[in-house]
Amino acid sequence: MQQLLIIGFVWPEPDSSAAGGRMLQLISLFKEQGYNITFASPAQDSDFMVDLEDIGVEKKSIALNCASFDGFIKGLNPTVVLFDRFMMEEQFGWRVAENCPNALRLLDTEDLHCLRLSRQKAFKENRLFQTSDLMTEEVAKREIASILRCDLSLMISKFEMELLTSRFKIDKALLYYLPFLLEPITVSAFEQFPPFEERKEFVFIGNFLHEPNWNAVLYLKESIWPLIRKQLPQVALNIYGAYPSQKVLQLHQPKEGFLIKGRAAKAQEVVSKARVVLAPLRFGAGVKGKLIEAMQCGTPSVTTTIGAESMHGDLPWNGAVTDSPQVFADVAVQLYNDNKRWLEAQYNGLTIINQRYLKGLFVEDFNKQILFLQANLHQHRSNNFMGAMLQHHTLSSTKYMSRWIEAKNK
């Protein structure tokens, strides 16, 4: 039986972030192929982490810069290792390569961190982002090196795949498009969505540990919500999200209908009761879980170009996409008031989910790709000289830095 080791940046929290939901999708994908799965992480336990044992996954706490990991992975002897974000590959990749050289090394990028950070920097400097900004971003050098050292990187965004192949000249053989893996929205499920008449108010939802979400809420408060409220003075905007900081809580203004609600006990229930989702993201990367969730709940959304990036292809959006605060407010009000337009947007969301994100569209091909790489791993790695070179230097530098930290900690 194949053994998968997932090295997680954090323990999965599917009710707190899209990243947590994505991880559970990957676990399900491998379990259906008959893998034994161990999830290891150096992170502390959290109150909202999923019970891994309940879903048949062994849980293992590991330490950074500690030789105990070497004994652990030798004993486990995984056939596949999945790094949850490039930071985990940096920390543990060399140990995996040294102790289990024949294990297939996968990287789940989540989103391209260097893209998100470069866009954030450009935004704070009040200028347009250019792809050339990535070439001076320190995180880009680390992230691209991690992608090259791995046998295959799972990409959630086709835009980011194109960026990696065109700007960074990454071999397409090292990248694999694997978006959110969802179940279809059936006709009966669609008919059971709460109707337009039963829904009320606007909603924003997002983990506040994620900087683009905090910025979007501030943008709503300062620029967009006043324009909506002027046209709909009796309507409220409910802001939900895990881990709200004090600066988020201070935005709570009941008189203005701007309500900070904190963590949602059941996110889909909250979104299903709302009439329109607002997501004015001004920087970020990847595919936005909040907008996927809106479609799954039959709730139209208004977002930005960044928000909708790589999400709907040539299909019409389930609402509207605009970067103008005034247009954003106007189309949000139109969706809120116009039953016919709202229903069209809702149906667009169903089409996007069923044509672009169905699990069944990807499972068979992904499994074939893993088996092919396992059968041809030596040749695959021989074709990736840059990765082999980086792996060599990592074993000669990161390894000894880690050994030094380990000795110092003793």
Side-chain angles (χ1 to χ4, degrees):
M1 183 176 286
Q2 296 234 49
Q3 175 73 49
L4 169 67
L5 170 63
I6 302 173
I7 304 178
F9 181 63
V10 294
W11 302 108
E13 293 187 21
D15 294 330
S16 299
S17 70
R22 158 75 164 182
M23 181 52 68
L24 290 193
Q25 291 168 12
L26 293 177
I27 288 172
S28 173
L29 187 64
F30 281 99
K31 278 190 72 67
E32 289 172 7
Q33 299 303 322
Y35 281 75
N36 279 334
I37 303 177
T38 300
F39 193 105
S41 177
Q44 292 184 333
D45 287 5
S46 74
D47 293 335
F48 302 100
M49 60 189 279
V50 72
D51 189 331
L52 290 167
E53 293 182 359
D54 272 0
I55 58 173
V57 175
E58 181 185 356
K59 177 178 179 288
K60 173 70 176 178
S61 291
I62 53 177
L64 299 172
N65 303 305
C66 183
S68 61
F69 180 84
D70 300 340
F72 157 68
I73 195 170
K74 279 182 181 178
L76 187 67
N77 193 26
T79 50
V80 180
V81 176
L82 173 65
F83 300 103
D84 171 28
R85 285 164 269 202
F86 79 91
M87 298 83 82
M88 291 297 94
E89 190 281 332
E90 280 186 329
Q91 287 287 340
F92 295 100
W94 68 269
R95 292 185 185 272
V96 172
E98 192 171 70
N99 291 290
C100 295
N102 295 322
L104 185 67
R105 299 189 295 269
L106 306 180
L107 172 64
D108 186 37
T109 58
E110 295 289 352
D111 63 17
L112 210 52
H113 290 62
C114 60
L115 176 62
R116 171 161 45 85
L117 293 173
S118 293
R119 282 173 166 169
Q120 181 175 334
K121 182 179 179 183
F123 172 80
K124 290 186 175 180
E125 293 174 357
N126 197 29
R127 61 178 178 81
L128 291 175
F129 163 77
Q130 305 288 336
T131 56
S132 57
D133 293 341
L134 293 166
M135 311 312 286
T136 58
E137 174 60 57
E138 179 187 346
V139 169
K141 298 177 177 67
R142 294 169 54 199
E143 191 167 22
I144 299 306
S146 183
I147 289 170
L148 286 167
R149 284 192 297 262
C150 288
D151 298 312
L152 194 68
S153 290
L154 309 183
M155 306 299 301
I156 205 166
S157 162
K158 285 187 175 179
F159 173 83
E160 292 174 10
M161 287 184 70
E162 172 61 28
L163 194 64
L164 288 172
T165 54
S166 61
R167 172 57 70 171
F168 293 105
K169 311 303 179 187
I170 301 293
D171 187 342
K172 290 181 180 179
L174 299 177
L175 305 175
Y176 190 87
Y177 177 62
L178 195 68
F180 289 122
L181 305 168
L182 309 178
E183 297 301 323
I185 302 175
T186 62
V187 173
S188 60
F190 186 77
E191 291 173 347
Q192 290 173 20
F193 286 145
F196 176 87
E197 296 80 11
E198 292 181 11
R199 297 175 183 242
K200 62 178 184 176
E201 303 181 334
F202 294 92
V203 70
F204 172 94
I205 191 164
N207 189 320
F208 285 110
L209 296 179
H210 195 53
E211 181 68 18
N213 288 333
W214 153 245
N215 181 270
V217 169
L218 190 63
Y219 185 35
L220 277 167
K221 177 70 169 63
E222 295 177 346
S223 302
I224 296 174
W225 183 244
L227 299 174
I228 295 175
R229 182 77 168 177
K230 187 177 180 180
Q231 299 180 63
L232 299 171
Q234 304 304 317
V235 176
L237 168 59
N238 297 302
I239 307 288
Y240 288 92
Y243 304 107
S245 63
Q246 190 58 40
K247 64 182 181 181
V248 175
L249 297 174
Q250 286 176 347
L251 297 180
H252 183 68
Q253 293 290 339
K255 290 183 179 179
E256 299 173 11
F258 198 88
L259 309 175
I260 306 295
K261 297 293 187 74
R263 178 185 290 273
K266 295 181 179 179
Q268 288 210 346
E269 184 177 308
V270 164
V271 177
S272 294
K273 289 180 178 179
R275 191 173 288 180
V276 180
V277 166
L278 304 180
L281 299 159
R282 291 189 284 186
F283 52 85
V287 171
K288 314 306 180 294
K290 62 176 66 62
L291 297 173
I292 289 287
E293 187 171 61
M295 296 178 205
Q296 289 178 298
C297 295
T299 310
S301 64
V302 185
T303 189
T304 57
T305 305
I306 293 273
E309 181 179 86
S310 197
M311 287 194 65
H312 61 116
D314 296 327
L315 298 172
W317 187 251
N318 72 317
V321 179
T322 176
D323 295 318
S324 160
Q326 185 63 63
V327 175
F328 193 107
D330 291 344
V331 293
V333 171
Q334 289 167 15
L335 275 171
Y336 196 88
N337 287 333
D338 189 335
N339 191 346
K340 184 173 182 291
R341 183 166 180 174
W342 187 90
L343 285 170
E344 290 173 354
Q346 184 186 60
Y347 185 78
N348 289 344
L350 175 145
T351 305
I352 292 169
I353 294 291
N354 287 348
Q355 291 193 19
R356 292 181 61 87
Y357 295 99
L358 292 195
K359 184 177 180 180
L361 296 174
F362 302 97
V363 172
E364 184 178 352
D365 186 74
F366 178 68
N367 188 44
K368 286 180 180 177
Q369 180 71 8
I370 296 301
L371 292 174
F372 175 81
L373 288 177
Q374 288 179 317
N376 300 277
L377 192 55
H378 177 74
Q379 185 61 50
H380 181 73
R381 288 177 177 172
S382 295
N383 294 340
N384 180 20
F385 177 78
M386 292 296 289
M389 180 179 68
L390 286 165
Q391 192 69 258
H392 168 79
H393 287 290
T394 297
L395 285 169
S396 303
S397 56
T398 308
K399 171 181 177 178
Y400 292 106
M401 173 62 76
S402 182
R403 295 291 195 210
W404 179 81
I405 294 171
E406 183 181 346
K408 185 171 178 287
N409 288 341
K410 289 180 180 177

